[in-house]
Amino acid sequence: MLTPSEIISMRQPPMPLSVTASLNRGLPVHDWYLMPESYSEPLIAGAIEKFDIGSNDIVLDPFSGTGTTVITAVLKGVNGIGLEINPFLCFASRVKLDWNVDLANFATSLKQVLQEAQPLLESISPTQDLFTEVIPKAVIRRSESILAGLQEPDMPRLYKWMSKVVVQKVLLLDYLIHAMVPERIQPHFLLALASILRPASNMKLTAHAFGSNTERKDAPVYALFAERLLKMDTDLGYLRSHSGYGRGQIYHADSRAASTVSRLSGDGLAASLAITSPPYLNNLDYTMQTRMELFFLRFVQNMSELRDLRKAMVICDAKAMYKDVKDSERVQEVESIQDIAVSLREMHKDKNWGWDYAFMTTQYFGGMLRVLEGVQPLLKRNAPFVLIVGESVHSGVKIPLPEILAELGERAGYKFEEINVLRCRRSSSHAHELREAEVILRKQ
């Protein structure tokens, strides 16, 4: 592990909250779909300026999530490339980059869908049968494929996450979108629908937790959906009135995979800056954050497919004990990581709960080493790689992620440049202060 003397700087930036996604609220495109794990547009804009990235350059984000990095780059006239393994998030960021739509067609479809939806949604009650009592009144173009979309998703605890009447309203909107909206712009309407699932549900989502709120028997589904669509319509008009944008592309890909590197390198990708916020080592199943979106939009059909997705992600969940994921083998010789694993095993030696924090930790850092190695061929020489990461504590064992990722960066052949603290957090569950920081590496 790096000693304090090897850490070049630990500076506090002028905007300590610039790491938070809350700053993206209200911005064009960015807030079409938001997640609290995202970082902010000002953080990316600042990095583009700091590293003097120009219109002929490419910015790469290997964990592109909802597309903050790529969208910010494109809006500033810079080209952006994102990699994302979650199929819904890949869909969301692609839609957020799709601005070349017929505005008149969009406005007409918006008006028609909302006019059809409002009386139907207001008529739905928990005692009704969606197929026999509501849909016949709304039949525009009956087909088996559209009606199949009205089947409730095979998601465990569906009615714990969302009330029955809200589920029916969401399914009806999904039906109307597929029946009434031209295929070219259906993705925008479906993203608007996806963006209201969490606000209409019983679930509370924060950057570090996912759980139930007080049960909501109903929700203003129509008002939420209309607000999202109207915001999209306004933003598309604003975007059309400007020019000078860069080009953006999102790949559905695992940034650890050699096939990703080979395919992108074959396209001639040479990025001038990589910047990303990988999953934090916080014992969180990140598929929980988009579970409703994944199931309602049919990106996964059942828990088996969801499990396959979890296995394809960097492991940061102590319950994800997948022995066929071999990332931990990559860090067997890294003493700093193995020392932490030993401490975690000692803390949990008397517990028999089926969770393995030590294995989670070695799997996580092994996966991140693969990411560092996989991104390197996609960068220009001397290009910076900025990672926004946060420390974590498990059973009293503090894990200094910034320093360990800096060490892994050097093992992967980068030059370590500096660690800058973005903000410090405290938790009610322990006495440790946790830093969120940017780790800056350089390709040699």
Side-chain angles (χ1 to χ4, degrees):
M1 185 180 296
L2 297 173
T3 64
S5 63
E6 291 175 299
I7 299 176
I8 298 175
S9 69
M10 301 289 282
R11 299 193 301 263
Q12 190 77 16
M15 292 183 64
L17 295 181
S18 64
V19 72
T20 65
S22 61
L23 297 179
N24 293 341
R25 295 194 181 279
L27 295 180
V29 182
H30 285 287
D31 71 348
W32 288 6
Y33 182 88
L34 290 173
M35 289 184 66
E37 293 84 6
S38 303
Y39 42 34
S40 71
E41 187 272 349
L43 189 70
I44 303 304
I48 289 173
E49 181 178 353
K50 174 180 178 178
F51 295 108
D52 195 25
I53 304 301
S55 58
N56 294 322
D57 292 318
I58 296 173
V59 176
L60 171 68
D61 187 345
F63 294 95
S64 61
T66 58
T68 301
T69 297
V70 178
I71 292 166
T72 301
V74 170
L75 288 171
K76 289 191 166 296
V78 177
N79 302 319
I81 296 287
L83 311 181
E84 178 52 54
I85 194 62
N86 183 315
F88 166 72
L89 291 179
C90 184
F91 164 82
S93 53
R94 284 174 173 172
V95 173
K96 290 166 76 172
L97 285 165
D98 183 4
W99 311 335
N100 188 28
V101 301
D102 186 316
L103 297 181
N105 194 17
F106 189 93
T108 299
S109 296
L110 183 156
K111 182 178 180 179
Q112 291 174 344
V113 168
L114 293 183
Q115 285 180 341
E116 189 74 30
Q118 186 172 19
L120 290 168
L121 291 177
E122 290 175 350
S123 71
I124 293 178
S125 71
T127 61
Q128 287 180 302
D129 182 288
L130 184 62
F131 288 96
T132 61
E133 296 185 46
V134 176
I135 289 303
K137 303 175 185 177
V139 170
I140 301 112
R141 178 166 52 88
R142 183 183 295 275
S143 75
E144 289 186 6
S145 62
I146 293 175
L147 291 176
L150 288 166
Q151 300 288 347
E152 63 186 39
D154 185 20
M155 189 181 97
R157 302 189 300 278
L158 172 62
Y159 291 116
K160 176 178 173 62
W161 290 47
M162 184 179 284
S163 73
K164 184 173 182 179
V165 67
V166 173
V167 169
Q168 290 196 350
K169 290 180 178 182
V170 169
L171 292 176
L172 181 55
L173 282 176
D174 180 70
Y175 169 85
L176 294 176
I177 290 169
H178 284 93
M180 299 182 68
V181 178
E183 187 174 345
R184 171 66 183 86
I185 54 176
Q186 278 184 16
H188 294 76
F189 283 68
L190 290 171
L191 182 60
L193 181 61
S195 73
I196 73 168
L197 293 177
R198 199 182 316 129
S201 75
N202 300 325
M203 310 309 288
K204 178 181 181 181
L205 178 60
T206 70
H208 306 287
F210 194 88
S212 296
N213 277 332
T214 303
E215 182 180 356
R216 304 177 65 181
K217 294 182 180 180
D218 202 351
V221 173
Y222 173 82
L224 291 169
F225 182 63
E227 180 184 23
R228 289 289 84 204
L229 282 179
L230 291 169
K231 176 62 162 60
M232 282 188 177
D233 185 50
T234 299
D235 287 353
L236 288 169
Y238 168 81
L239 293 166
R240 186 63 58 84
S241 67
H242 294 73
S243 60
Y245 302 123
R247 298 185 305 276
Q249 185 170 2
I250 307 295
Y251 288 85
H252 182 213
D254 180 355
S255 55
R256 300 171 299 173
S259 59
T260 299
V261 175
S262 175
R263 174 159 54 89
L264 294 180
S265 297
D267 290 344
L269 172 59
S272 300
L273 167 67
I275 182 167
T276 196
S277 182
Y280 285 13
L281 184 54
N282 52 10
N283 191 27
L284 180 66
D285 172 8
Y286 276 93
T287 66
M288 295 284 283
Q289 312 300 79
T290 57
R291 185 155 300 184
M292 288 183 290
E293 295 88 331
L294 286 164
F295 274 95
F296 273 99
L297 271 65
R298 272 58 182 188
F299 287 104
V300 298
Q301 304 297 325
N302 49 55
M303 286 302 293
S304 177
E305 293 183 5
L306 190 71
R307 205 158 31 245
D308 290 340
L309 175 58
R310 289 181 71 189
K311 292 170 72 171
M313 301 168 75
V314 171
I315 300 296
C316 50
D317 176 10
K319 299 181 290 296
M321 297 176 61
Y322 304 124
K323 302 300 182 181
D324 54 339
V325 177
K326 305 295 185 181
D327 289 352
S328 60
E329 297 177 358
R330 301 299 306 276
V331 293
Q332 287 180 342
E333 307 303 321
V334 183
E335 290 186 10
S336 58
I337 297 171
Q338 295 304 321
D339 287 346
I340 292 171
V342 168
S343 297
L344 289 169
R345 290 190 188 99
E346 179 65 23
M347 294 298 296
H348 298 144
K349 64 181 180 181
D350 297 325
K351 295 181 173 65
N352 185 26
W353 54 14
W355 297 3
D356 193 335
Y357 285 89
F359 188 52
M360 170 191 74
T361 301
T362 56
Q363 287 274 62
Y364 175 84
F365 284 117
M368 287 306 303
L369 178 58
R370 290 181 60 199
V371 171
L372 292 165
E373 294 171 343
V375 167
Q376 192 178 53
L378 309 180
L379 298 176
K380 291 181 178 179
R381 186 176 181 181
N382 204 41
F385 188 0
V386 182
L387 298 105
I388 312 299
V389 296
E391 294 179 312
S392 59
V393 172
H394 300 293
S395 301
V397 179
K398 185 175 181 179
I399 304 177
L401 264 80
E403 287 83 355
I404 294 178
L405 288 181
E407 179 185 3
L408 293 179
E410 291 186 323
R411 283 180 172 266
Y414 295 86
K415 178 183 177 182
F416 166 56
E417 190 161 297
E418 59 184 343
I419 296 175
N420 296 319
V421 176
L422 299 173
R423 65 173 176 169
C424 294
R425 299 177 289 111
R426 285 195 177 276
S427 170
S428 58
S429 62
H430 57 74
H432 294 280
E433 184 176 71
L434 301 180
R435 298 169 299 153
E436 284 187 285
E438 61 176 10
V439 180
I440 303 179
L441 309 170
R442 290 264 182 188
K443 178 178 178 177
Q444 299 193 77

